[in-house]
């Protein structure tokens, strides 16, 4: 399969046929590749598992947090993105002064979102809370935080009608 490492493809096949997720260490090692493949093959449960492990394993550092923010935004990983932005907020001045944030500084939309969050616009529920609530209702848990919030709001409106 094009654009997929053999190890990652092995994990994808194993998940598809057995429902068994990769080990935590493999999720940490191949996190970006697993999320990318999970998105391509619509394996939302695997994507969410990997995203949660990456957050629990605290893969962020000052050198890579900008890349993680952009990756999480591009791959619709709201929990990972929230965590990366929280890490960024703690070290923002140091990160922005470094060359590691160049790509992030070039992404006006994502940088604007970060600035809004930094001045107190937290957007209500966390992505994890939104996913839990949507899961309880049997609704799709994939998408950006904005998509998840809109989906939940729509479900609430339909329930009251």
């Amino acid at each position: 399969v094009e654009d997929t490492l053999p190890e990652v493809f092995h994990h994808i096949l194993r998940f598809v046929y057995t429902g068994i997720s990769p080990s935590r260490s493999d999720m940490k090692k191949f996190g970006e590749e697993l999320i990318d493949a999970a998105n391509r093959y619509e394996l939302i449960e695997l994507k969410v598992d990997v995203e949660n492990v990456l957050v629990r394993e605290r893969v962020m550092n000052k050198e890579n947090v900008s890349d993680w923010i952009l990756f999480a935004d591009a791959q619709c990983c709201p929990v990972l993105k929230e965590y990366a932005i929280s890490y960024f907020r703690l070290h923002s001045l140091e990160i922005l002064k470094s060359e590691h944030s160049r790509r992030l500084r070039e992404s006006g939309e994502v940088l604007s979102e970060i600035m809004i969050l930094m001045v107190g616009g937290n957007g209500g529920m966390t992505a994890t809370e939104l996913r839990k609530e949507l899961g309880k209702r049997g609704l799709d848990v994939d998408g950006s935080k904005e998509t998840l919030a809109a989906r939940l709001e729509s479900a609430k409106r339909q329930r009251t009608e």
Side-chain angles (χ1 to χ4, degrees), residues 90-144:
L90 293 173
H91 307 282
S92 57
L93 188 57
E94 191 176 346
I95 293 166
L96 284 172
K97 286 182 176 180
S98 76
E99 182 58 28
H100 300 292
S101 68
R102 182 183 51 77
R103 284 185 48 229
L104 182 60
R105 289 190 312 261
E106 293 170 356
S107 177
E109 187 176 319
V110 174
L111 204 51
S112 293
E113 183 180 346
I114 292 169
M115 290 188 323
I116 290 167
L117 291 171
M118 289 181 76
V119 295
N122 67 3
M125 298 172 78
T126 67
T128 300
E129 292 167 336
L130 289 165
R131 279 184 170 164
K132 283 182 184 176
E133 190 61 34
L134 289 166
K136 284 183 201 174
R137 296 168 185 248
L139 298 171
D140 185 10
V141 297
D142 190 32
S144 67

Side-chain angles (χ1 to χ4, degrees), residues 9-26:
F9 191 67
H10 167 78
H11 288 303
I12 294 296
L13 284 177
R14 183 171 171 230
F15 182 81
V16 167
Y17 288 105
T18 68
I20 297 173
S21 293
S23 67
R24 289 176 73 102
S25 63
D26 281 345

Side-chain angles (χ1 to χ4, degrees), residues 15 38-39 41-51 131 140-143:
F15 182 81
N39 270 336
Y41 301 113
E42 299 180 12
L43 302 172
I44 305 311
E45 184 180 344
L46 177 60
K47 174 184 168 180
V48 170
D49 286 349
V50 175
E51 184 181 0
R131 279 184 170 164
D140 185 10
V141 297
D142 190 32

